[in-house]
Amino acid sequence: MKSLKIKNFGPIGNVDVKFGDLTFLVGPQASGKSLFWELLKLG
């Protein structure tokens, strides 16, 4: 997977992530970081 687009899913409004060799996910508490990784497990 090279990229992922998510729209209006829980606290995640609109995001387009392009993955590289090393990709970090940072943000404030309750911004959807854990939910994002759960979505990756489903894919």
Side-chain angles (χ1 to χ4, degrees):
M1 180 182 307
K2 293 183 180 186
S3 67
L4 177 65
K5 291 182 182 183
I6 302 171
K7 284 188 174 186
N8 300 323
F9 190 76
I12 302 171
N14 187 12
V15 68
D16 184 5
V17 178
K18 295 188 180 13
F19 299 102
D21 293 333
L22 181 62
T23 303
F24 288 92
L25 187 62
V26 296
Q29 192 172 4
S31 61
K33 297 179 303 288
S34 296
L35 183 58
F36 179 85
W37 291 116
E38 290 295 324
L39 287 172
L40 285 180
K41 285 187 203 177
L42 294 175

